[in-house]
Amino acid sequence: MIERIVIIDNVDPVSFYGVNNSNMHLIRNLFPKLRMAARGSVIKVIGDDAETAEFEKKIKELEDYCSRFNKLSEEVILDIVKGKAPAEPKNDDVIIYGINGKPISPRNTNQALLVKAFRENDLTFALGPAGTGKTYIAIALAVKALKNREVRKIILSRPAVEAGEKLGFLPGDMKDKIDPYLQPLYDALEDMIPAVKLKEYMETNVIQIAPLAFMRGRTLNDAVIVLDEAQNTTVHQIKMFLTRLGMNAKMIITGDATQIDLPRSVQSGLIQALHILKNVPGIGRVEFGKKDIVRHSLVQRIVEAYERHDEEVKAQGGTQPAPREDAGEE
């Protein structure tokens, strides 16, 4: 009798063990001659040398499956333990499988072009209105590269610019102060990585989320770097960010030129960078339109209404009439 220790460090233990440890109960039943105990990412098993070796082999196969698809069903466990190849979801364009095995894949032509541009270039610009999935697909591509061990870390950044509001003094430490600006990035990550694993990645700096100001002086190697809301960078900020790119690294920059929140006197760094880098080899560019919006259908109509309004203002010489306070009153 020997004791063997198996560590499952590539998956979230909650997803692996199942609700109320249902998966572990099934695994125990499939290996009745072994005694086992699971805590966190460590499984201890006691029994015959050959049987414990077979147990470890099957657990690693189950871990690989769970890591790829973010779920582990009873049917998959039975197939793998019995030596059969488990049925895999057939979807060739899936980027990754999110929480509970939800497939995340391009939902329109331009999202598919972003996937292609990321594959072929080390720097890619993704431009377009809100709701087109630019940031979501960018983060999915970063998570895929991390899971496939193509890179060692993900770095996500945004300029800390308020959208027309002055939030004033924010209490707490530095993380508490910057988190409100970075919440959209957290939301996307929580869709793709189980909570326990995401917390581990954040604590060990495998995934880093930081405001743009924290990038100065760094060289970002072996990473996928995503800069979101780049239209709110200044000329100096985006130049500083672009020159952080290191070896074995890829960068995606997303932005919407129609939602610049900088003071009127400050030029958007994104607009200037697009002009300067237009003909530089190795840089991809994907432009989304209002037809690519994948949020609520009303969002597309809102974007179209604002575009019509902007065209009317331009036609009147750029002057915007102030709305009357009694507008709509009888």
Side-chain angles (χ1 to χ4, degrees):
M1 301 283 282
I2 68 161
E3 178 182 276
R4 194 180 293 266
I5 294 176
V6 184
I7 298 175
I8 50 167
D9 55 357
N10 289 325
V11 293
D12 173 30
V14 175
S15 301
F16 188 87
Y17 296 142
V19 178
N20 296 323
N21 283 332
S22 57
N23 290 343
M24 277 308 296
H25 292 318
L26 176 58
I27 292 169
R28 282 192 178 94
N29 292 335
L30 293 170
F31 291 91
K33 295 181 182 178
L34 300 179
R35 288 163 45 207
M36 63 189 75
R39 181 180 291 274
S41 60
V42 177
I43 303 174
K44 292 183 180 179
V45 59
I46 299 174
D48 176 75
D49 185 28
E51 282 219 22
T52 56
E54 178 67 10
F55 173 84
E56 181 176 17
K57 176 173 174 285
K58 295 301 181 184
I59 289 294
K60 285 300 178 182
E61 290 178 21
L62 291 170
E63 180 186 17
D64 288 343
Y65 185 97
C66 189
S67 176
R68 286 177 62 199
F69 300 107
N70 256 336
K71 66 176 181 178
L72 198 58
S73 66
E74 181 179 310
E75 293 78 10
V76 169
I77 294 171
L78 289 169
D79 284 345
I80 288 177
V81 171
K82 291 178 180 179
K84 292 171 57 181
E88 296 187 0
K90 295 199 183 305
N91 200 337
D92 294 337
D93 63 351
V94 169
I95 301 170
I96 56 167
Y97 289 85
I99 299 302
N100 298 322
K102 180 185 79 171
I104 296 173
S105 56
R107 295 176 59 181
N108 53 49
T109 301
N110 277 326
Q111 287 188 2
L113 286 174
L114 177 54
V115 174
K116 183 174 184 287
F118 175 79
R119 190 165 57 242
E120 296 175 353
N121 300 280
D122 288 338
L123 171 60
T124 302
F125 287 95
L127 314 165
T132 51
K134 308 181 300 295
T135 302
Y136 197 80
I137 293 296
I139 293 178
L141 290 166
V143 172
K144 178 182 181 180
L146 181 67
K147 291 184 75 169
N148 290 348
R149 302 188 179 184
E150 297 166 12
V151 296
R152 292 190 294 107
K153 58 193 172 189
I154 295 172
I155 299 168
L156 308 176
S157 186
R158 277 184 136 206
V161 177
E162 294 134 342
E165 301 178 73
K166 295 298 180 186
L167 301 182
F169 173 77
L170 292 172
D173 59 18
M174 183 59 70
K175 183 177 184 301
D176 295 327
K177 295 176 192 295
I178 64 175
D179 272 0
Y181 298 101
L182 306 174
Q183 192 57 49
L185 306 180
Y186 287 112
D187 291 343
L189 287 170
E190 287 167 358
D191 257 10
M192 301 173 195
I193 302 174
V196 174
K197 197 67 182 174
L198 178 57
K199 182 181 179 185
E200 177 192 324
Y201 281 153
M202 301 285 285
E203 289 174 348
T204 56
N205 284 330
V206 171
I207 295 179
Q208 303 170 28
I209 302 182
L212 186 57
F214 284 29
M215 295 295 111
R216 185 171 295 281
R218 300 183 66 183
T219 300
L220 306 175
N221 298 315
D222 295 308
V224 176
I225 310 113
V226 178
L227 174 61
D228 191 32
E229 301 288 352
Q231 75 276 4
N232 289 328
T233 59
T234 65
V235 169
H236 296 298
Q237 282 176 330
I238 200 162
K239 180 183 177 184
M240 176 272 292
F241 184 83
L242 289 169
T243 53
R244 300 307 95 197
L245 190 64
M247 302 301 293
N248 189 39
K250 283 179 176 274
M251 191 176 277
I252 305 178
I253 296 178
T254 73
D256 176 7
T258 67
Q259 294 196 70
I260 298 173
D261 300 312
L262 295 168
R264 288 182 181 274
S265 59
V266 179
Q267 182 183 3
S268 167
L270 175 64
I271 304 300
Q272 189 195 68
L274 290 171
H275 174 71
I276 292 173
L277 304 175
K278 183 163 48 175
N279 297 316
V280 175
I283 297 178
R285 176 168 171 166
V286 180
E287 297 196 23
F288 293 79
K290 56 182 179 289
K291 298 297 183 186
D292 297 311
I293 292 173
V294 291
R295 288 182 187 163
H296 192 291
S297 58
L298 186 56
V299 174
Q300 181 176 330
R301 297 200 291 274
I302 290 171
V303 171
E304 289 172 345
Y306 270 91
E307 285 182 353
R308 287 195 299 271
H309 171 75
D310 290 343
E311 288 169 4
E312 290 170 5
V313 170
K314 286 179 183 175
Q316 294 169 8
T319 57
Q320 182 171 335
R324 290 168 47 201
E325 291 184 8
D326 62 347
E329 292 182 8
E330 296 273 330

